[in-house]
Amino acid sequence: GFAGYVAIRLLGTERGLLVIGAVGGLVSSTAVTLASAARAKQSPSLAPQSALAVIIASTIMMLRVGVTVFVVQPSLVQPLLIPLGAMSAVGVAFLVVFAVRDRPNRSVSPELDLSNPFELSSALKFGAFFIVILLVSRWATVQLGAGGAYLTGFIAGAAEVDAITLSMADLVGSNQLSIEVASKAIVIAAASNTMVKGILAFVLGGATFGRRIVLAFSTMVAIGGVTLVLF
């Protein structure tokens, strides 16, 4: 997240939608979604291009989750490889189709309001949220078993993917949760976050902007669900 924040500050927002979407996705794909929705609402002619920024940011989010588990709990990488990889591949496919069809204007970007992840207030907020999610995850797992972990992933993922990812990794590391259940909970969290961003895009950015994102995100979530069942 800090690397993405620094890159945004160095590049500036004049680098274009796709670059900002990709780098912004390292920090917060939700922030990219909100900024792009505002841009699309303000200038409807830029809705197709703005949608691309959101799709690429959310695709980067999937990869970011993979990198996170690789660093903190490598045992989760293998079970997450297929579902996260499949969802990322769908995002890339939609990105290529829309980009080739529309020939986006790369010189116009949304203004991203991103805070430094290393700022004390940002760190404290994330730390507090992580602790809450960790406690809820442990309680739900003890009381409800695998279903509790999945429910926590769905609810927490709607707001923040990183905290639930770290929580599941911690539970695996302390032998309180199996790798299989933790990996599924992380995929559910990523899917939940993706669905919420699709709803935000449609409501805040208008139909032209939102339809493309909902189509792409619905397919990503569906593919992720299929991989959970099959693999």
Side-chain angles (χ1 to χ4, degrees), residues 26-53:
L26 292 173
V27 186
S28 172
S29 56
T30 301
V32 174
T33 301
L34 295 176
S36 299
R39 169 70 74 178
K41 196 72 172 180
Q42 179 184 11
S43 304
S45 62
L46 296 177
Q49 297 94 319
S50 298
L52 291 177

PDB file of all heavy atoms in Angstrom, residues 26-53:
ATOM      1  N   LEU A  26      -3.105  -0.821  -5.671  1.00  0.00           N
ATOM      2  CA  LEU A  26      -2.176  -1.273  -4.635  1.00  0.00           C
ATOM      3  C   LEU A  26      -2.531  -0.688  -3.277  1.00  0.00           C
ATOM      4  O   LEU A  26      -2.229  -1.273  -2.242  1.00  0.00           O
ATOM      5  CB  LEU A  26      -0.744  -0.875  -4.992  1.00  0.00           C
ATOM      6  CG  LEU A  26      -0.111  -1.567  -6.202  1.00  0.00           C
ATOM      7  CD1 LEU A  26       1.240  -0.934  -6.506  1.00  0.00           C
ATOM      8  CD2 LEU A  26       0.044  -3.056  -5.936  1.00  0.00           C
ATOM      9  N   VAL A  27      -3.161   0.478  -3.297  1.00  0.00           N
ATOM     10  CA  VAL A  27      -3.507   1.163  -2.054  1.00  0.00           C
ATOM     11  C   VAL A  27      -4.946   0.855  -1.662  1.00  0.00           C
ATOM     12  O   VAL A  27      -5.218   0.328  -0.589  1.00  0.00           O
ATOM     13  CB  VAL A  27      -3.314   2.688  -2.191  1.00  0.00           C
ATOM     14  CG1 VAL A  27      -3.537   3.372  -0.841  1.00  0.00           C
ATOM     15  CG2 VAL A  27      -1.955   3.017  -2.756  1.00  0.00           C
ATOM     16  N   SER A  28      -5.885   1.187  -2.550  1.00  0.00           N
ATOM     17  CA  SER A  28      -7.304   0.981  -2.253  1.00  0.00           C
ATOM     18  C   SER A  28      -8.108   0.971  -3.541  1.00  0.00           C
ATOM     19  O   SER A  28      -8.295   2.016  -4.163  1.00  0.00           O
ATOM     20  CB  SER A  28      -7.824   2.086  -1.325  1.00  0.00           C
ATOM     21  OG  SER A  28      -9.220   1.992  -1.181  1.00  0.00           O
ATOM     22  N   SER A  29      -8.597  -0.196  -3.920  1.00  0.00           N
ATOM     23  CA  SER A  29      -9.434  -0.286  -5.121  1.00  0.00           C
ATOM     24  C   SER A  29     -10.779   0.394  -4.875  1.00  0.00           C
ATOM     25  O   SER A  29     -11.420   0.865  -5.816  1.00  0.00           O
ATOM     26  CB  SER A  29      -9.644  -1.749  -5.514  1.00  0.00           C
ATOM     27  OG  SER A  29     -10.196  -2.494  -4.441  1.00  0.00           O
ATOM     28  N   THR A  30     -11.206   0.467  -3.611  1.00  0.00           N
ATOM     29  CA  THR A  30     -12.452   1.164  -3.295  1.00  0.00           C
ATOM     30  C   THR A  30     -12.306   2.659  -3.549  1.00  0.00           C
ATOM     31  O   THR A  30     -13.219   3.300  -4.083  1.00  0.00           O
ATOM     32  CB  THR A  30     -12.849   0.928  -1.825  1.00  0.00           C
ATOM     33  OG1 THR A  30     -13.002  -0.478  -1.606  1.00  0.00           O
ATOM     34  CG2 THR A  30     -14.153   1.630  -1.501  1.00  0.00           C
ATOM     35  N   ALA A  31     -11.150   3.225  -3.178  1.00  0.00           N
ATOM     36  CA  ALA A  31     -10.906   4.648  -3.435  1.00  0.00           C
ATOM     37  C   ALA A  31     -10.904   4.928  -4.933  1.00  0.00           C
ATOM     38  O   ALA A  31     -11.437   5.948  -5.386  1.00  0.00           O
ATOM     39  CB  ALA A  31      -9.574   5.070  -2.816  1.00  0.00           C
ATOM     40  N   VAL A  32     -10.311   4.031  -5.708  1.00  0.00           N
ATOM     41  CA  VAL A  32     -10.313   4.187  -7.165  1.00  0.00           C
ATOM     42  C   VAL A  32     -11.742   4.138  -7.692  1.00  0.00           C
ATOM     43  O   VAL A  32     -12.124   4.911  -8.576  1.00  0.00           O
ATOM     44  CB  VAL A  32      -9.456   3.098  -7.835  1.00  0.00           C
ATOM     45  CG1 VAL A  32      -9.584   3.170  -9.355  1.00  0.00           C
ATOM     46  CG2 VAL A  32      -7.996   3.234  -7.420  1.00  0.00           C
ATOM     47  N   THR A  33     -12.550   3.231  -7.151  1.00  0.00           N
ATOM     48  CA  THR A  33     -13.947   3.110  -7.582  1.00  0.00           C
ATOM     49  C   THR A  33     -14.720   4.393  -7.314  1.00  0.00           C
ATOM     50  O   THR A  33     -15.437   4.896  -8.183  1.00  0.00           O
ATOM     51  CB  THR A  33     -14.630   1.938  -6.853  1.00  0.00           C
ATOM     52  OG1 THR A  33     -13.935   0.725  -7.142  1.00  0.00           O
ATOM     53  CG2 THR A  33     -16.081   1.800  -7.296  1.00  0.00           C
ATOM     54  N   LEU A  34     -14.580   4.929  -6.107  1.00  0.00           N
ATOM     55  CA  LEU A  34     -15.315   6.143  -5.746  1.00  0.00           C
ATOM     56  C   LEU A  34     -14.864   7.332  -6.584  1.00  0.00           C
ATOM     57  O   LEU A  34     -15.693   8.121  -7.065  1.00  0.00           O
ATOM     58  CB  LEU A  34     -15.116   6.442  -4.257  1.00  0.00           C
ATOM     59  CG  LEU A  34     -15.702   5.403  -3.290  1.00  0.00           C
ATOM     60  CD1 LEU A  34     -15.345   5.759  -1.855  1.00  0.00           C
ATOM     61  CD2 LEU A  34     -17.210   5.303  -3.452  1.00  0.00           C
ATOM     62  N   ALA A  35     -13.550   7.470  -6.777  1.00  0.00           N
ATOM     63  CA  ALA A  35     -13.033   8.593  -7.566  1.00  0.00           C
ATOM     64  C   ALA A  35     -13.461   8.472  -9.026  1.00  0.00           C
ATOM     65  O   ALA A  35     -13.830   9.466  -9.665  1.00  0.00           O
ATOM     66  CB  ALA A  35     -11.508   8.636  -7.460  1.00  0.00           C
ATOM     67  N   SER A  36     -13.422   7.271  -9.562  1.00  0.00           N
ATOM     68  CA  SER A  36     -13.803   7.062 -10.960  1.00  0.00           C
ATOM     69  C   SER A  36     -15.299   7.265 -11.156  1.00  0.00           C
ATOM     70  O   SER A  36     -15.736   7.774 -12.194  1.00  0.00           O
ATOM     71  CB  SER A  36     -13.397   5.654 -11.405  1.00  0.00           C
ATOM     72  OG  SER A  36     -12.002   5.475 -11.319  1.00  0.00           O
ATOM     73  N   ALA A  37     -16.091   6.860 -10.160  1.00  0.00           N
ATOM     74  CA  ALA A  37     -17.533   7.073 -10.239  1.00  0.00           C
ATOM     75  C   ALA A  37     -17.854   8.567 -10.277  1.00  0.00           C
ATOM     76  O   ALA A  37     -18.723   9.014 -11.039  1.00  0.00           O
ATOM     77  CB  ALA A  37     -18.233   6.410  -9.057  1.00  0.00           C
ATOM     78  N   ALA A  38     -17.148   9.331  -9.440  1.00  0.00           N
ATOM     79  CA  ALA A  38     -17.359  10.780  -9.439  1.00  0.00           C
ATOM     80  C   ALA A  38     -16.971  11.387 -10.774  1.00  0.00           C
ATOM     81  O   ALA A  38     -17.668  12.275 -11.302  1.00  0.00           O
ATOM     82  CB  ALA A  38     -16.539  11.412  -8.310  1.00  0.00           C
ATOM     83  N   ARG A  39     -15.883  10.913 -11.361  1.00  0.00           N
ATOM     84  CA  ARG A  39     -15.442  11.396 -12.673  1.00  0.00           C
ATOM     85  C   ARG A  39     -16.474  11.061 -13.747  1.00  0.00           C
ATOM     86  O   ARG A  39     -16.815  11.893 -14.582  1.00  0.00           O
ATOM     87  CB  ARG A  39     -14.090  10.786 -13.032  1.00  0.00           C
ATOM     88  CG  ARG A  39     -13.648  10.989 -14.466  1.00  0.00           C
ATOM     89  CD  ARG A  39     -13.279  12.416 -14.765  1.00  0.00           C
ATOM     90  NE  ARG A  39     -11.997  12.767 -14.177  1.00  0.00           N
ATOM     91  CZ  ARG A  39     -11.414  13.963 -14.329  1.00  0.00           C
ATOM     92  NH1 ARG A  39     -12.021  14.904 -15.023  1.00  0.00           N
ATOM     93  NH2 ARG A  39     -10.254  14.220 -13.764  1.00  0.00           N
ATOM     94  N   ALA A  40     -16.999   9.845 -13.710  1.00  0.00           N
ATOM     95  CA  ALA A  40     -17.985   9.419 -14.704  1.00  0.00           C
ATOM     96  C   ALA A  40     -19.288  10.206 -14.567  1.00  0.00           C
ATOM     97  O   ALA A  40     -19.934  10.536 -15.570  1.00  0.00           O
ATOM     98  CB  ALA A  40     -18.257   7.930 -14.556  1.00  0.00           C
ATOM     99  N   LYS A  41     -19.676  10.482 -13.330  1.00  0.00           N
ATOM    100  CA  LYS A  41     -20.905  11.248 -13.103  1.00  0.00           C
ATOM    101  C   LYS A  41     -20.745  12.681 -13.584  1.00  0.00           C
ATOM    102  O   LYS A  41     -21.666  13.265 -14.168  1.00  0.00           O
ATOM    103  CB  LYS A  41     -21.229  11.237 -11.607  1.00  0.00           C
ATOM    104  CG  LYS A  41     -22.652  11.661 -11.290  1.00  0.00           C
ATOM    105  CD  LYS A  41     -23.638  10.588 -11.704  1.00  0.00           C
ATOM    106  CE  LYS A  41     -25.031  10.905 -11.233  1.00  0.00           C
ATOM    107  NZ  LYS A  41     -26.013   9.872 -11.634  1.00  0.00           N
ATOM    108  N   GLN A  42     -19.566  13.248 -13.355  1.00  0.00           N
ATOM    109  CA  GLN A  42     -19.292  14.627 -13.748  1.00  0.00           C
ATOM    110  C   GLN A  42     -19.171  14.752 -15.256  1.00  0.00           C
ATOM    111  O   GLN A  42     -19.651  15.715 -15.849  1.00  0.00           O
ATOM    112  CB  GLN A  42     -18.002  15.113 -13.085  1.00  0.00           C
ATOM    113  CG  GLN A  42     -17.613  16.535 -13.451  1.00  0.00           C
ATOM    114  CD  GLN A  42     -16.279  16.924 -12.843  1.00  0.00           C
ATOM    115  OE1 GLN A  42     -15.548  16.076 -12.323  1.00  0.00           O
ATOM    116  NE2 GLN A  42     -15.951  18.203 -12.894  1.00  0.00           N
ATOM    117  N   SER A  43     -18.513  13.761 -15.883  1.00  0.00           N
ATOM    118  CA  SER A  43     -18.300  13.788 -17.336  1.00  0.00           C
ATOM    119  C   SER A  43     -18.724  12.438 -17.914  1.00  0.00           C
ATOM    120  O   SER A  43     -17.902  11.517 -18.019  1.00  0.00           O
ATOM    121  CB  SER A  43     -16.829  14.064 -17.661  1.00  0.00           C
ATOM    122  OG  SER A  43     -16.384  15.262 -17.063  1.00  0.00           O
ATOM    123  N   PRO A  44     -19.994  12.279 -18.270  1.00  0.00           N
ATOM    124  CA  PRO A  44     -20.502  10.998 -18.761  1.00  0.00           C
ATOM    125  C   PRO A  44     -19.736  10.447 -19.948  1.00  0.00           C
ATOM    126  O   PRO A  44     -19.673   9.222 -20.132  1.00  0.00           O
ATOM    127  CB  PRO A  44     -21.952  11.318 -19.140  1.00  0.00           C
ATOM    128  CG  PRO A  44     -22.320  12.470 -18.252  1.00  0.00           C
ATOM    129  CD  PRO A  44     -21.064  13.289 -18.142  1.00  0.00           C
ATOM    130  N   SER A  45     -19.126  11.314 -20.749  1.00  0.00           N
ATOM    131  CA  SER A  45     -18.369  10.837 -21.911  1.00  0.00           C
ATOM    132  C   SER A  45     -17.139  10.040 -21.488  1.00  0.00           C
ATOM    133  O   SER A  45     -16.586   9.268 -22.283  1.00  0.00           O
ATOM    134  CB  SER A  45     -17.944  12.022 -22.776  1.00  0.00           C
ATOM    135  OG  SER A  45     -17.085  12.898 -22.052  1.00  0.00           O
ATOM    136  N   LEU A  46     -16.705  10.234 -20.241  1.00  0.00           N
ATOM    137  CA  LEU A  46     -15.531   9.516 -19.740  1.00  0.00           C
ATOM    138  C   LEU A  46     -15.900   8.251 -18.971  1.00  0.00           C
ATOM    139  O   LEU A  46     -15.024   7.570 -18.433  1.00  0.00           O
ATOM    140  CB  LEU A  46     -14.713  10.429 -18.817  1.00  0.00           C
ATOM    141  CG  LEU A  46     -14.090  11.666 -19.464  1.00  0.00           C
ATOM    142  CD1 LEU A  46     -13.384  12.502 -18.413  1.00  0.00           C
ATOM    143  CD2 LEU A  46     -13.123  11.265 -20.561  1.00  0.00           C
ATOM    144  N   ALA A  47     -17.199   7.925 -18.932  1.00  0.00           N
ATOM    145  CA  ALA A  47     -17.642   6.755 -18.172  1.00  0.00           C
ATOM    146  C   ALA A  47     -16.980   5.455 -18.628  1.00  0.00           C
ATOM    147  O   ALA A  47     -16.516   4.664 -17.796  1.00  0.00           O
ATOM    148  CB  ALA A  47     -19.167   6.632 -18.239  1.00  0.00           C
ATOM    149  N   PRO A  48     -16.903   5.175 -19.942  1.00  0.00           N
ATOM    150  CA  PRO A  48     -16.264   3.917 -20.359  1.00  0.00           C
ATOM    151  C   PRO A  48     -14.802   3.827 -19.929  1.00  0.00           C
ATOM    152  O   PRO A  48     -14.342   2.773 -19.475  1.00  0.00           O
ATOM    153  CB  PRO A  48     -16.391   3.962 -21.892  1.00  0.00           C
ATOM    154  CG  PRO A  48     -17.564   4.839 -22.151  1.00  0.00           C
ATOM    155  CD  PRO A  48     -17.485   5.896 -21.086  1.00  0.00           C
ATOM    156  N   GLN A  49     -14.080   4.945 -20.081  1.00  0.00           N
ATOM    157  CA  GLN A  49     -12.673   4.937 -19.690  1.00  0.00           C
ATOM    158  C   GLN A  49     -12.510   4.825 -18.175  1.00  0.00           C
ATOM    159  O   GLN A  49     -11.608   4.143 -17.673  1.00  0.00           O
ATOM    160  CB  GLN A  49     -11.982   6.214 -20.197  1.00  0.00           C
ATOM    161  CG  GLN A  49     -11.966   6.352 -21.718  1.00  0.00           C
ATOM    162  CD  GLN A  49     -13.140   7.166 -22.223  1.00  0.00           C
ATOM    163  OE1 GLN A  49     -14.258   7.026 -21.745  1.00  0.00           O
ATOM    164  NE2 GLN A  49     -12.881   8.016 -23.207  1.00  0.00           N
ATOM    165  N   SER A  50     -13.390   5.512 -17.443  1.00  0.00           N
ATOM    166  CA  SER A  50     -13.314   5.461 -15.981  1.00  0.00           C
ATOM    167  C   SER A  50     -13.583   4.051 -15.473  1.00  0.00           C
ATOM    168  O   SER A  50     -12.998   3.620 -14.473  1.00  0.00           O
ATOM    169  CB  SER A  50     -14.318   6.437 -15.365  1.00  0.00           C
ATOM    170  OG  SER A  50     -14.028   7.778 -15.746  1.00  0.00           O
ATOM    171  N   ALA A  51     -14.460   3.328 -16.153  1.00  0.00           N
ATOM    172  CA  ALA A  51     -14.766   1.955 -15.757  1.00  0.00           C
ATOM    173  C   ALA A  51     -13.525   1.071 -15.857  1.00  0.00           C
ATOM    174  O   ALA A  51     -13.329   0.159 -15.048  1.00  0.00           O
ATOM    175  CB  ALA A  51     -15.890   1.392 -16.622  1.00  0.00           C
ATOM    176  N   LEU A  52     -12.688   1.354 -16.838  1.00  0.00           N
ATOM    177  CA  LEU A  52     -11.457   0.572 -16.986  1.00  0.00           C
ATOM    178  C   LEU A  52     -10.551   0.719 -15.771  1.00  0.00           C
ATOM    179  O   LEU A  52      -9.918  -0.243 -15.337  1.00  0.00           O
ATOM    180  CB  LEU A  52     -10.706   1.001 -18.245  1.00  0.00           C
ATOM    181  CG  LEU A  52     -11.346   0.650 -19.586  1.00  0.00           C
ATOM    182  CD1 LEU A  52     -10.505   1.213 -20.729  1.00  0.00           C
ATOM    183  CD2 LEU A  52     -11.510  -0.844 -19.739  1.00  0.00           C
ATOM    184  N   ALA A  53     -10.468   1.926 -15.242  1.00  0.00           N
ATOM    185  CA  ALA A  53      -9.623   2.159 -14.063  1.00  0.00           C
ATOM    186  C   ALA A  53     -10.101   1.318 -12.885  1.00  0.00           C
ATOM    187  O   ALA A  53      -9.295   0.768 -12.126  1.00  0.00           O
ATOM    188  CB  ALA A  53      -9.630   3.643 -13.693  1.00  0.00           C
TER     189      ALA A  53
END
